[in-house]
Structures are given as structure tokens and as C-alpha cells.
Amino acid sequence: HKSILNVTGNSDLMKHLKKHFQSKGDILFQCLDNGEFHKKLSETKLFISTCGIEATYEAFAYQIPTIFLPPVNSTQLYQLMSLVSLQFPVVISETLIDNFKKVIFAKFDYHTETTEIANALELTISKHSEKELLQTCLLSFIDNIKLSNTNRQKLLLKQNDFLSQSPNKWTTILDQTNLLR
């Protein structure tokens, strides 16, 4: 069946991606304000994102099955390690985990750590076999969730459990700040 892929992010990145992938008719590249993002997120069937803290909790609060991509900054790296340990669907390889652990153990400052995370990711996906492994992993997670209602429900239960065990009640915080609509 026909699907539309919405890619969101900062305006410079969206302009770049739109130019590069303009021939793909079923992909929308958008820079959304917070309200637009929440409207789009609440209507989606599957959310694929880097593991930023806000987007993770927002997607979980909306009960949107979520698949996580490798991190692009330090905060996302630590969130990713937590999600990997809890066996959430994270697109990752052993090589990336090893490289990310080296970054963590080096105890860099935030800026250097973020740069090293980007370097590790770029180095890994520059290898054809690693890139294929990550792509296969992503497609497997998508198929697993899209094709099986049981797997979808298990993931949503896991996400709800994650939210309820969080030291902060994120759904309450998001409600109080009018982020959930």
C-alpha cells in the first residue's frame, strides 16, 4: 500500500535533503514548529527518529510505535545506550556500539564528544557492509511492526512501561506544558 514518508528537522537540513531527493514523490521534507510537529506526530503510524529525549517521550505519550536511529549528539548517545539495554528497536551494529563506548570512555567535553559521535557514525556507514547491516536492521524493524499487530502492541506496552517507570511523569509534564494535544 502507499505510504508517505515525512522527514522533519531544521530548515537547512530539509533544504539540502529536498534538493538531493526531489525526485522522490512520496517523501515530504519539512521544518515544523512545535505545534505542527505534534499534530503530525499524533497522526503518524510509525515514528523513526534519533533518540532525542523530547521526541522519544512525545512519541511514547502519543502511543506511536517508535524505531530509533543512531545518535547524532552526546545526549542522544546516552539515551540510546539506555534504549539498547531495554531492548527497544534501535538501528545499531556491534561496530557502532564499540565505537560509541570508546567515545564515552574517553570522557570528552560535550562538544568534542558530539563531534566524535558524528565521526564514529560517518566512519561506520562509510563501510558498505556496515551501511547494509544498518539498512537491513531498519527494514526488519519496520516490517516487524507494520506486518504484525501483536509486535506493534508489544512495543506499545514496552513504551508505556518505560513512561510509567520514568522518574518524571513525562505525560504529565507534556500535558502541563500544552505539548500534547
Side-chain angles (χ1 to χ4, degrees), residues 21-36:
F21 294 101
Q22 63 190 358
S23 64
K24 305 286 186 192
D26 296 338
I27 303 176
L28 301 175
F29 298 95
Q30 303 170 316
C31 181
L32 304 174
D33 68 28
N34 195 276
E36 292 171 317

Side-chain angles (χ1 to χ4, degrees), residues 6 8-9 30-44 62 178-179 181:
N6 286 290
T8 63
Q30 303 170 316
C31 181
L32 304 174
D33 68 28
N34 195 276
E36 292 171 317
F37 174 76
H38 278 268
K39 182 174 178 3
K40 193 68 76 175
L41 179 61
S42 70
E43 297 168 347
T44 194
Y62 279 118
N178 251 350
L179 291 176
R181 292 176 170 75

Side-chain angles (χ1 to χ4, degrees), residues 1-119:
H1 65 279
K2 191 162 176 82
S3 297
I4 296 175
L5 175 65
N6 286 290
V7 180
T8 63
N10 74 51
S11 60
D12 290 339
L13 177 59
M14 293 305 100
K15 286 177 193 172
H16 173 76
L17 291 174
K18 191 178 216 175
K19 183 178 175 183
H20 188 69
F21 294 101
Q22 63 190 358
S23 64
K24 305 286 186 192
D26 296 338
I27 303 176
L28 301 175
F29 298 95
Q30 303 170 316
C31 181
L32 304 174
D33 68 28
N34 195 276
E36 292 171 317
F37 174 76
H38 278 268
K39 182 174 178 3
K40 193 68 76 175
L41 179 61
S42 70
E43 297 168 347
T44 194
K45 302 284 187 253
L46 176 66
F47 186 55
I48 302 170
S49 177
T50 56
C51 44
I53 293 171
E54 282 185 56
T56 298
Y57 286 100
E58 290 164 346
F60 285 13
Y62 279 118
Q63 301 260 319
I64 307 299
T66 305
I67 298 171
F68 297 98
L69 299 172
V72 296
N73 65 38
S74 202
T75 305
Q76 292 177 5
L77 174 60
Y78 293 102
Q79 175 89 338
L80 172 113
M81 297 312 254
S82 170
L83 295 169
V84 166
S85 71
L86 294 169
Q87 299 181 329
F88 277 93
V90 176
V91 177
I92 195 84
S93 68
E94 288 300 319
T95 303
L96 266 180
I97 290 174
D98 291 343
N99 289 335
F100 289 153
K101 284 181 180 178
K102 289 175 190 171
V103 172
I104 291 170
F105 294 137
K107 298 189 185 293
F108 294 119
D109 62 89
Y110 179 84
H111 178 73
T112 305
E113 190 171 68
T114 295
T115 301
E116 291 302 315
I117 290 165
N119 290 340

Side-chain angles (χ1 to χ4, degrees), residues 91 128 130-141:
V91 177
H128 183 72
E130 285 289 321
K131 186 175 182 177
E132 269 190 5
L133 179 66
L134 294 172
Q135 288 173 338
T136 301
C137 181
L138 175 60
L139 292 173
S140 174
F141 284 139

Side-chain angles (χ1 to χ4, degrees), residues 136-161:
T136 301
C137 181
L138 175 60
L139 292 173
S140 174
F141 284 139
I142 291 170
D143 286 346
N144 190 22
I145 293 167
K146 283 179 69 175
L147 300 177
S148 169
N149 195 43
T150 302
N151 291 340
R152 182 182 184 87
Q153 292 307 315
K154 283 180 186 178
L155 179 57
L156 290 174
L157 287 172
K158 184 183 277 202
Q159 290 177 187
N160 286 338
D161 191 44

